[in-house]
Amino acid sequence: MIQEEVDNTNTFKKCVVSFEHNANQFDLGFVHKNVLLRITQEFIQNSIKHAYCKNIFITLNTSEDILWELIIRDDGIGFDKSQTESNGIGLTNMKNRAEIIGAEFRLESEKNIGTRINITLKKQS
């Protein structure tokens, strides 16, 4: 589903979106798939609309202790988190979606460097 979103975005030629992953198939339920897709869509839309980026990089990986980790970053204008985090509806939505499924959400942004989110869902022990 993420690959379809990437392909659709790339047809508009507003920025180049690349997607890498380390598994042929992720065995995830509907809620997890939906959260991953919605967060990805939100980040892409925000990056194109607000960051004026040239590239968006998406990575989805799994490992022994991590069910999945989604990293999305752009090379846009970035922003001051203290100015935006409290009133950014898109950022709040992404964070809330991650929390709904118990995933850790981290956001980093630097002016003139870009923005990055890292969402990690660890395996239950």
Side-chain angles (χ1 to χ4, degrees):
M1 292 188 317
I2 291 175
Q3 186 61 57
E4 284 179 28
E5 189 66 26
V6 167
D7 294 342
N8 289 340
T9 303
N10 283 331
T11 61
F12 294 112
K13 299 188 183 343
K14 293 193 179 205
C15 72
V16 177
V17 184
S18 61
F19 176 48
E20 294 179 359
H21 56 87
N22 73 348
N24 290 332
Q25 182 151 353
F26 283 88
D27 188 24
L28 301 176
F30 173 78
V31 173
H32 285 228
K33 287 180 184 176
N34 191 43
V35 164
L36 285 170
L37 180 61
R38 297 292 175 237
I39 289 172
T40 301
Q41 289 172 326
E42 187 79 47
F43 190 96
I44 290 171
Q45 290 169 5
N46 284 352
S47 292
I48 291 171
K49 187 175 179 180
H50 302 293
Y52 309 103
C53 61
K54 291 186 174 67
N55 298 284
I56 299 172
F57 307 94
I58 303 169
T59 307
L60 180 61
N61 289 318
T62 186
S63 68
E64 276 187 34
D65 21 325
I66 295 174
L67 186 60
W68 53 259
E69 179 178 44
L70 177 67
I71 301 167
I72 313 175
R73 64 183 177 88
D74 68 32
D75 60 359
I77 61 171
F79 60 90
D80 180 350
K81 284 181 13 180
S82 66
Q83 303 278 322
T84 309
E85 206 157 346
S86 61
N87 51 12
I89 293 172
L91 294 174
T92 302
N93 285 344
M94 287 188 276
K95 184 176 184 184
N96 289 343
R97 284 190 168 111
E99 288 175 355
I100 285 170
I101 57 168
E104 178 185 320
F105 180 90
R106 285 194 321 264
L107 168 73
E108 301 167 18
S109 189
E110 275 188 68
K111 284 199 171 271
N112 304 317
I113 293 179
T115 301
R116 171 188 167 120
I117 60 168
N118 187 312
I119 302 167
T120 307
L121 185 64
K122 295 184 177 171
K123 291 182 179 174
Q124 304 294 324
S125 35

